[in-house]
Amino acid sequence: MNGLTGNDVIHQYLRHNKKFPHVLCPGCGHGIVLGTLIRSIHALSIPKDDIVVVAGIGCSGRLAVYVDFNTVHTTHGRALTFATGIKMANPKLKVIALMGDGDALSIGGNHLIHAARRNIGVTALVLNNSIYGMTGGQSSPATPEGATTMTNPYGQLDKAFDTVELARGAGANYVARGTVFHVKKLEKIMIEALGRPGFSLVEAITPCHTQYGRKNKFKTPVDMYQWLKKSAIDVERYEELADDKREGRLPIGVFFRRDRNGYEERYYAMKEALTGKGAKGGRK
Amino acid sequence: MAHQKKGKSTVTVYPDWCKGCGICAEFCPSKVFEIGEHGKATVVREKDCIHCGFCELHCPDFAIVVRDKSPVAEMEDTAPDKPGAKKGA
């Protein structure tokens, strides 16, 4: 694997016996997120066998099928619960929960806040495309106010969830947001998230042209990437903007870091204190 | 990934994997790609490539590979059946 660059690296991590090209639509950002995840794991030199990718249901759930790690394709919204179990059973594994916005914020919303509160050592990767893409374009909790969808033909009335503030309030250790246009930044964020203790949440904004863009005046997938390029702004610069100029801008970057111990560390410390035996530490 | 002088890299698009979304053609700073008549990205101005790496990072289908010119000849010897491989590189 050494000496390879760019997409040659990624091809080493794909399951080439699965049908390629993948099922995602032309211009879907999920493939870019998958590539970024692979590159960040490659940069950290973590062996394939020490990575567990747990995916829920939806377009993002398909990603786990294509990568050559330990993978679980779980039920809708329950990726974090499976991930919690895997991390508790074997804390040496790096567990990554891949979820879509509907998966993480709607049907699995309760699991998200409690995984963050518990601060379990899992990296949650929320692929936010603002819509339920696979089931036909229904509004999700991340659909922006006023956006047109299949189930809201006259515009969405609800406000969208702010994933960052939600995770901050729930008690996550590390929360960051990136977009698939700013890939280098997203890669840096993922490398940091994978190396941190406790619950890390990375929200990746990925455009869904097929179900969201076409109904919201984005003629081509490229238009959605132009929109990401125009609207994204570093969170430090966003903080300095006047309130009236913040409209329509998307802050990206690392929002906050905490250094609380993860749930599995506290659990095994308690176990050791009570029984006098060391932590099991998992099978190697 | 560092920027290089023009004409020092080879750009390969695997047509079977390309879905023709047009991201590479739109954002390439040297306009190396165009969407061909079959709706797939094709390399038209390979000599202008500065190896910035944008297309590799942003291709959602992992269909583009940019390599330095010198080791490419060796790699093609070991894998001659790669689709779309450039001749005479």
Side-chain angles (χ1 to χ4, degrees):
Chain A
M1 243 179 264
N2 294 327
L4 296 177
T5 55
N7 276 347
D8 280 333
V9 171
I10 287 175
H11 285 266
Q12 302 294 319
Y13 285 87
L14 297 179
R15 290 176 177 152
H16 283 267
N17 57 340
K18 300 289 170 191
K19 279 184 185 164
F20 273 97
H22 51 55
V23 294
L24 306 167
C25 306
C28 173
H30 283 28
I32 303 176
V33 178
L34 183 67
T36 312
L37 179 67
I38 291 172
R39 272 194 303 278
S40 41
I41 289 168
H42 182 75
L44 289 167
S45 311
I46 308 173
K48 284 180 188 175
D49 287 344
D50 290 354
I51 300 277
V52 184
V53 176
V54 188
I57 296 294
C59 300
S60 61
R62 288 295 300 172
L63 297 182
V65 176
Y66 295 114
V67 279
D68 191 17
F69 304 121
N70 303 297
T71 57
V72 197
H73 194 174
T74 66
T75 45
H76 200 1
R78 273 51 170 168
L80 272 173
T81 59
F82 284 80
T84 303
I86 292 164
K87 187 71 183 177
M88 290 304 290
N90 191 350
K92 284 186 178 157
L93 295 173
K94 280 254 175 263
V95 185
I96 300 156
L98 266 181
M99 298 170 289
D101 53 323
D103 207 31
L105 302 173
S106 179
I107 193 157
N110 228 336
H111 299 306
L112 181 76
I113 56 174
H114 289 290
R117 177 178 66 88
R118 189 178 275 159
N119 211 15
I120 181 83
V122 169
T123 307
L125 190 52
V126 179
L127 283 76
N128 183 350
N129 59 3
S130 314
I131 201 105
Y132 281 97
M134 191 170 269
T135 49
Q138 294 84 357
S139 293
S140 86
T143 306
E145 196 175 354
T148 312
T149 66
M150 188 72 82
T151 47
N152 287 97
Y154 306 109
Q156 166 78 311
L157 288 170
D158 308 340
K159 240 177 101 60
F161 249 133
D162 188 336
T163 320
V164 170
E165 292 301 324
L166 180 73
R168 188 206 297 265
N173 251 5
Y174 176 89
V175 179
R177 184 192 281 139
T179 81
V180 293
F181 187 82
H182 307 81
V183 172
K184 288 267 183 187
K185 195 175 180 80
L186 185 63
E187 193 176 325
K188 261 188 209 164
I189 287 170
M190 276 193 205
I191 287 174
E192 195 185 346
L194 287 170
R196 287 186 65 85
F199 187 79
S200 321
L201 187 137
V202 178
E203 184 187 22
I205 308 288
T206 95
C208 174
H209 176 252
T210 305
Q211 299 290 7
Y212 180 81
R214 291 189 302 174
K215 287 191 161 49
N216 289 282
K217 296 179 184 162
F218 294 102
K219 280 189 178 163
T220 61
V222 169
D223 288 349
M224 300 210 69
Y225 286 83
Q226 294 281 18
W227 159 70
L228 281 181
K229 186 182 177 185
K230 265 191 290 187
S231 60
I233 179 170
D234 275 350
V235 61
E236 291 86 9
R237 284 181 55 212
Y238 181 81
E239 299 287 339
E240 293 165 9
L241 283 183
D243 281 352
D244 56 326
K245 288 192 176 162
R246 290 186 179 184
E247 185 68 27
R249 301 309 294 267
L250 181 74
I252 59 170
V254 181
F255 285 78
F256 64 94
R257 303 174 174 90
R258 294 190 190 112
D259 283 313
R260 281 171 58 212
N261 282 344
Y263 183 75
E264 72 286 354
E265 289 172 48
R266 285 178 279 138
Y267 172 79
Y268 281 109
M270 179 190 271
K271 187 183 172 189
E272 194 178 359
L274 290 174
T275 62
K277 290 176 188 167
K280 186 175 105 187
R283 292 177 294 277
K284 190 66 187 166
Chain B
M1 201 74 54
H3 290 218
Q4 289 182 348
K5 282 186 180 170
K6 289 180 182 180
K8 294 226 169 162
S9 2
T10 58
V11 187
T12 312
V13 178
Y14 301 135
D16 288 352
W17 286 35
C18 175
K19 290 176 189 157
C21 62
I23 295 171
C24 51
E26 172 76 18
F27 292 105
C28 174
S30 305
K31 302 285 168 222
V32 171
F33 303 95
E34 274 176 17
I35 300 297
E37 56 179 314
H38 300 294
K40 312 261 181 178
T42 44
V43 182
V44 287
R45 281 177 285 271
E46 190 179 42
K47 281 181 184 166
D48 291 348
C49 175
I50 54 167
H51 205 152
C52 68
F54 185 97
C55 52
E56 276 195 306
L57 294 176
H58 288 79
C59 179
D61 299 287
F62 318 121
I64 304 173
V65 179
V66 186
R67 301 188 181 100
D68 288 339
K69 251 193 180 156
S70 42
V72 160
E74 298 164 18
M75 286 187 73
E76 278 183 352
D77 288 344
T78 54
D81 55 345
K82 287 240 165 123
K86 287 278 152 193
K87 284 172 191 166

